[in-house]
Amino acid sequence: MVDRKANIGVVGLAVMGSNLARNLASREGNTVAVFNRSPGRTDELVEEHPEAEFVAATTYEEFAASLSTPRTAIIMVQAGKGTDAVIDELVKVFEPGDIIVDGGNAFFKDTIRREKAVRETGINFVGAGISGGEEGALKGPSIMPGGSAEAYETLGPILASIAAIAEGEPCVTHVGTDGAGHFVKMIHNGIEYADMQLIAEAYDLIRRGTGKSPAEIADIFAEWNKGELESYLIEITAEVLRQVDAETGTPLVDVILDQAGAKGTGAWTVQTALDLGIPVSGIAEAVFARSLSSKPAQRAAASDLPGPTEAWTVDDSDGTSTDTFIEDVRLALYASKMIAYAQGFDEIVAGAEEYGWDIHKGDIAKIWRGGCIIRAQFLNRITEAYAENSDLPTLLVAPYFRDAITGAEPSWRRVVSTAATAGIPSPAFSSSLSYYDGLRADRLPASLIQGQRDFFGAHTYKRIDKEGTFHTLWSGDRTEISS
Ligand SMILES: NC(=O)c1ccc[n+]([C@@H]2O[C@H](COP(=O)([O-])OP(=O)(O)OC[C@H]3O[C@@H](n4cnc5c(N)ncnc54)[C@H](OP(=O)(O)O)[C@@H]3O)[C@@H](O)[C@H]2O)c1
């Protein structure tokens, strides 16, 4: 029998759950109950961390009995079937008013479904996106909870106690109802894919163009990290590039197989964007670039297809071109990064509209400033932009972003054209620039597409000079009729 009551419980004690439980236990006022399907993990955690004074349970009944009411439990188990299995068990032993939090990487539509089903029992269900990996879970993640405002009243202070702190504020906010938290976490991951791909393209261009070693490029990234690009991903890029493989003595980046893995949240972001009709081209290219990298047979078969015959390098005969090129790449990276965030926020706006969430975009940028993988200085600029005008049609027209893109644009074009001429793949840089040019164009060839659609499918079109819908009698006398 359990004799101590806990104010919070954690179910699922693999790397994320055990770190989150330790984080919770380290905060003043918390007593943490822990439970894992296989008791071995629970025993191990309790044994290794006596300082946490966990209340360990071996059954769901014991776990429920160990929690003070209203009971609050965070599930950190394998997303999908594991989450459903744990919810089914907790619902049996919890009571109306209790709170079940899913802190795993659930797809937001599953969270909407689960919230609806659990709500019918009177129990609150909160889908909370948690970012920051295992270190974040232990030291302070960025937390994106959804669910009801009522549940957040109890849960908010507990989450705030374990979240990362950025500029004095905890990186947690009530994102919106039901699946809003997991939706925003999904977009976070999508932006993370784009950010990583852009950094990888910048590295590749500098390496191939200047012949600098990974360690030298690490110094460049470390320098960039002191300016407007300052971010966790730029910081760790320098660390990875500096790492030397102990076995071969060569840079680690040169012995790592060049096939990038993915766990699917980037693909969810793109699939959802397609459903919502939002062009997240930078994120999509990042997801596709990982897919392409992971096709060794196709890559081998295509390796002798024609391309530029001479390997390209920067002509540095004037002694300054290398530095100019590196600065161009830095600015192209910054401009493309702005596009990725602008597209991600467009998807948040569209999701909020579709699913009825009152999402405060500036607050989302704020809670991403600490604890999470995309944490960056730059997020302050996004918060400021939305504070000035919460209805911005696109982030890119906010004064800061307009000015920053204006400064970067010539460099961005030079880098994309250099990459194309040199035969160096730059899918995220190039697609971001194309998106930018598409957005700012007075007129797009979409008019021709409308003409084609009307030709083969009588899909009709609108005109720029009068109201109404029209169709040309393509297989008849080609006169135009109103339809
Ligand atoms: N790893 C990261 O960096 C990271 C970052 C953010 C979010 N997340 C998310 O956090 C969650 C936990 O991640 P993780 O890497 O710590 O663990 P994981 O490998 O995703 O899952 C293992 C845990 O799930 C439990 N589990 C699986 N199926 C179960 C079932 N049917 N019933 C009860 N428990 C079940 C396992 O229990 P047993 O010990 O009994 O097998 C174990 O505790 C996941 O949703 C993950 O996507 C992970």
Side-chain angles (χ1 to χ4, degrees):
M1 256 324 280
V2 179
D3 51 4
R4 266 185 324 128
K5 290 279 185 189
N7 63 315
I8 180 86
V10 177
V11 178
L13 303 175
V15 58
M16 288 294 286
S18 53
N19 279 1
L20 202 74
R22 287 172 58 202
N23 184 353
L24 282 161
S26 71
R27 310 294 166 160
E28 188 69 34
N30 283 342
T31 301
V32 185
V34 288
F35 173 79
N36 192 74
R37 178 180 58 177
S38 321
R41 275 197 210 268
T42 315
D43 296 344
E44 210 174 291
L45 179 69
V46 171
E47 230 165 80
E48 281 175 14
H49 296 284
E51 77 288 352
E53 298 183 7
F54 290 122
V55 180
T58 52
T59 63
Y60 282 104
E61 288 78 10
E62 215 177 281
F63 178 71
S66 71
L67 288 163
S68 54
T69 52
R71 297 175 186 84
T72 306
I74 305 179
I75 306 174
M76 289 304 286
V77 301
Q78 200 165 21
K81 288 198 174 111
T83 310
D84 281 320
V86 174
I87 292 170
D88 287 350
E89 295 301 325
L90 285 181
V91 163
K92 287 183 207 158
V93 293
F94 273 24
E95 292 171 314
D98 290 349
I99 304 168
I100 299 173
V101 184
D102 174 18
N105 263 341
F107 183 47
F108 75 96
K109 287 188 182 171
D110 288 335
T111 303
I112 292 175
R113 166 181 62 77
R114 288 171 181 145
E115 198 275 339
K116 190 162 178 271
V118 174
R119 191 173 357 117
E120 279 166 16
T121 68
I123 297 168
N124 294 291
F125 183 79
V126 174
I130 300 185
S131 174
E134 48 184 293
E135 192 181 318
L138 182 62
K139 295 182 179 163
S142 170
I143 312 178
M144 294 148 255
S148 70
E150 179 206 348
Y152 193 71
E153 268 181 41
T154 307
L155 192 62
I158 299 173
L159 297 182
S161 77
I162 58 163
I165 303 287
E167 297 180 26
E169 294 176 275
C171 294
V172 57
T173 190
H174 183 220
V175 173
T177 53
D178 55 56
H182 276 137
F183 182 89
V184 165
K185 170 66 176 15
M186 175 188 78
I187 305 291
H188 163 285
N189 285 27
I191 293 173
E192 176 185 313
Y193 273 64
D195 221 340
M196 292 170 72
Q197 175 65 25
L198 291 167
I199 291 172
E201 289 177 21
Y203 151 74
D204 197 27
L205 281 157
I206 294 176
R207 184 143 188 210
R208 297 217 224 170
T210 70
K212 286 187 184 294
S213 69
E216 288 170 322
I217 302 173
D219 291 341
I220 293 170
F221 277 97
E223 195 55 38
W224 289 359
N225 202 36
K226 294 178 187 157
E228 56 203 359
L229 278 172
E230 184 194 337
S231 61
Y232 172 71
L233 283 170
I234 294 279
E235 180 191 327
I236 66 161
T237 298
E239 300 280 329
V240 174
L241 289 176
R242 228 186 286 285
Q243 185 71 16
V244 173
D245 175 47
E247 211 174 303
T248 58
T250 54
L252 181 67
V253 72
D254 288 345
V255 296
I256 296 179
L257 191 68
D258 61 343
Q259 296 174 19
K263 281 198 171 166
T265 47
W268 287 348
T269 311
V270 178
Q271 283 157 357
T272 304
L274 289 171
D275 291 341
L276 293 169
I278 301 298
V280 292
S281 47
I283 299 170
E285 287 298 345
V287 174
F288 289 140
R290 289 196 194 187
S291 310
L292 186 152
S293 77
S294 303
K295 299 275 177 284
Q298 276 189 328
R299 287 174 61 189
S303 63
D304 61 352
L305 290 177
T309 43
E310 298 280 312
W312 165 82
T313 51
V314 175
D315 172 7
D316 201 29
S317 46
D318 65 357
T320 61
S321 297
T322 294
D323 289 346
T324 306
F325 177 68
I326 292 168
E327 178 61 4
D328 275 352
V329 173
R330 186 185 73 80
L331 288 166
L333 173 56
Y334 196 41
S336 305
K337 181 179 164 123
M338 289 184 239
I339 300 293
Y341 279 76
Q343 294 180 340
F345 274 91
D346 283 351
E347 189 169 345
I348 289 177
V349 171
E353 207 172 293
E354 175 75 17
Y355 297 102
W357 299 318
D358 181 21
I359 297 184
H360 296 248
K361 299 174 288 281
D363 289 348
I364 302 304
K366 262 190 182 181
I367 65 167
W368 287 348
R369 288 177 308 174
C372 65
I373 306 298
I374 62 171
R375 60 185 183 261
Q377 266 303 317
F378 160 83
L379 287 155
N380 280 319
R381 308 288 86 79
I382 298 180
T383 302
E384 287 158 12
Y386 283 124
E388 229 166 79
N389 178 5
S390 64
D391 291 326
L392 277 172
T394 162
L395 256 186
L396 304 174
V397 298
Y400 172 84
F401 293 95
R402 186 188 288 275
D403 287 353
I405 290 217
T406 304
E409 189 219 343
S411 298
W412 197 10
R413 293 192 189 284
R414 278 196 293 274
V415 168
V416 169
S417 61
T418 298
T421 309
I424 300 173
S426 63
F429 275 4
S430 312
S431 74
S432 303
L433 181 57
S434 277
Y435 171 84
Y436 173 74
D437 283 332
L439 211 55
R440 62 177 202 85
D442 279 345
R443 212 164 145 69
L444 290 167
S447 54
L448 175 58
I449 290 168
Q450 284 298 84
Q452 293 164 333
R453 292 179 70 236
D454 190 55
F455 188 101
F456 64 69
H459 292 299
T460 74
Y461 51 86
K462 292 186 187 303
R463 296 179 55 104
I464 58 169
D465 51 359
K466 52 184 169 185
E467 290 294 311
T469 307
F470 302 92
H471 169 59
T472 291
L473 299 168
W474 295 104
S475 30
D477 64 1
R478 303 213 165 177
T479 55
E480 185 181 74
I481 56 167
S482 276
S483 61

